[in-house]
Amino acid sequence: MLGYAVRRVGGAAAVLLIMSAVVYVLFYLMPANPAQLVCGIKACTPDRLAVISHGLGLDQPLYLQYWNFLVGLFAGRDISMGPSTVHCAAPCLGYSFQYTEPVLQMILDRLPVSGSLVVGAAALWLTLGIGIGVLSALRRGRWVDHTVNALVLGGLAVPIFITGLLALMVFCVYLQWIPFPTWVPLDQDPLLWAQNLILPWIVLALTTMPVYVRMSRAGMLETLAEDHIRTARAYGLPERQVIGRHALRGALSPLITLAALDVAGILTSSVLTESVFGLPGIGQLTVQAVRNIDLPVVVGLVLLIGFVIVVCNTIADLLYAAVDKRVSVS
């Protein structure tokens, strides 16, 4: 297992290195000039633009610019903005000239919002999705199974911005059971933190849960038809032990990768959810950076997305071997 983990981590590091090079080249070959954005429009002269370009290193070859970017990740770097110079501490993802703030600090300020959203929603969709899917498989062909299938199709058909707006209208406007969601840090007031996030959690979970219901139901039905399940029943094992110890583990293994991808995807691309509920997270920052053509922030966010996806997939690969002993790690 240790050798397998080392190989997977090494492969993940290589993927991140290649991805960072591709992202850096693509974004810094765009027509938008970072030096022009720093210089502005009205007060920018050719001489000042040349000074800023030299300070940012834009007059150097592209490979040297990328090397300086990698050095900044591990050792930090100084970034010149014309008359002034700022130090970007390691790991330096760049410096936003729109907000005059390091990109990493901007991401860290908003990461708790998206992280809180994903953790609560993931707990709901995993618990309810797997539980309902297993129940549907055990009641195959009965009214419970038919009802679950109908609700799953409805959940897959309705987009999250429709569900979110309806939830806001019903629970916040008409019934007034809960206030409109606002961001409250967990360490400031845990109860108010959960109260403001309960509606986004439910809406996001309802949007993601149908896939887990379908997959857990299909996996459970397939596992229940295998020989080792029939053998366990033939030995007289209690049905609860057959389901919990033998059938459930094999049925849930395919959900590990799906859960890793969903958590990574929602954490780094929750644009719709955060926009509907007005939460200042990573998704909202992404929209603002693209709108303002803030290239350092866009590059930093793309690298974050890739990093989270690679890390989650690596964790999923390691969990496969831990959950299902039939998986080879050689």
Side-chain angles (χ1 to χ4, degrees), residues 6-327:
V6 171
R7 290 194 300 272
R8 292 298 297 130
V9 171
V15 170
L16 287 174
L17 181 63
I18 296 173
M19 182 196 67
S20 66
V22 172
V23 169
Y24 191 89
V25 171
L26 287 178
F27 278 100
Y28 279 89
L29 287 180
M30 292 177 63
N33 185 1
Q36 183 69 57
L37 297 176
V38 177
C39 187
I41 299 176
K42 297 181 179 180
C44 188
T45 62
D47 293 338
R48 185 166 185 266
L49 182 63
V51 170
I52 295 175
S53 297
H54 179 72
L56 294 177
L58 299 178
D59 54 350
Q60 299 175 346
L62 188 59
Y63 72 88
L64 190 56
Q65 295 182 47
Y66 176 64
W67 172 253
N68 293 331
F69 174 76
L70 290 180
V71 172
L73 290 177
F74 298 97
R77 56 175 173 154
D78 293 327
I79 300 177
S80 175
M81 297 186 296
S84 61
T85 301
V86 295
H87 178 72
C88 182
C92 179
L93 293 177
Y95 192 85
S96 171
F97 304 105
Q98 298 283 340
Y99 298 95
T100 63
E101 188 178 358
V103 173
L104 180 61
Q105 187 60 48
M106 297 178 64
I107 294 176
L108 292 179
D109 289 341
R110 291 159 177 79
L111 196 57
V113 181
S114 299
S116 299
L117 180 64
V118 171
V119 169
L124 286 177
W125 84 56
L126 287 173
T127 303
L128 296 177
I130 294 173
I132 294 174
V134 170
L135 178 63
S136 178
L138 297 177
R139 300 292 187 270
R140 181 182 184 183
R142 302 181 185 179
W143 68 269
V144 174
D145 188 26
H146 296 309
T147 303
V148 168
N149 288 331
L151 293 176
V152 165
L153 291 177
L156 291 173
V158 181
I160 190 169
F161 61 88
I162 297 295
T163 308
L165 291 176
L166 288 176
L168 286 174
M169 291 176 60
V170 172
F171 296 104
C172 298
V173 177
Y174 293 109
L175 298 178
Q176 296 184 357
W177 287 356
I178 54 178
F180 281 92
T182 56
W183 170 244
V184 177
L186 176 61
D187 55 357
Q188 178 177 326
D189 190 333
L191 183 60
L192 196 58
W193 168 81
Q195 183 181 2
N196 280 274
L197 288 176
I198 185 65
L199 196 60
W201 284 343
I202 294 175
V203 170
L204 188 55
L206 289 177
T207 307
T208 312
M209 186 178 63
V211 178
Y212 289 83
V213 175
R214 294 290 296 269
M215 289 195 65
S216 58
R217 178 184 180 274
M220 196 69 181
L221 290 175
E222 182 180 355
T223 305
L224 289 174
E226 294 182 358
D227 293 337
H228 71 281
I229 299 297
R230 288 193 292 267
T231 302
R233 285 172 171 165
Y235 275 108
L237 294 179
E239 188 67 14
R240 179 177 298 180
Q241 185 175 350
V242 173
I243 299 299
R245 178 175 297 181
H246 299 282
L248 193 59
R249 176 174 292 185
L252 298 185
S253 295
L255 293 177
I256 295 177
T257 299
L258 180 63
L261 291 175
D262 281 342
V263 169
I266 293 175
L267 176 63
T268 54
S269 60
S270 52
V271 176
L272 288 177
T273 307
E274 294 177 4
S275 298
V276 170
F277 294 102
L279 298 174
I282 296 297
Q284 195 176 97
L285 178 62
T286 304
V287 174
Q288 294 173 354
V290 173
R291 184 182 301 165
N292 296 331
I293 321 178
D294 200 342
L295 296 183
V297 178
V298 174
V299 172
L301 288 170
V302 172
L303 291 178
L304 171 69
I305 292 172
F307 175 77
V308 173
I309 291 176
V310 169
V311 169
C312 287
N313 275 279
T314 303
I315 294 175
D317 290 340
L318 298 176
L319 287 178
Y320 263 127
V323 173
D324 194 346
K325 301 303 180 182
R326 297 172 298 176
V327 176

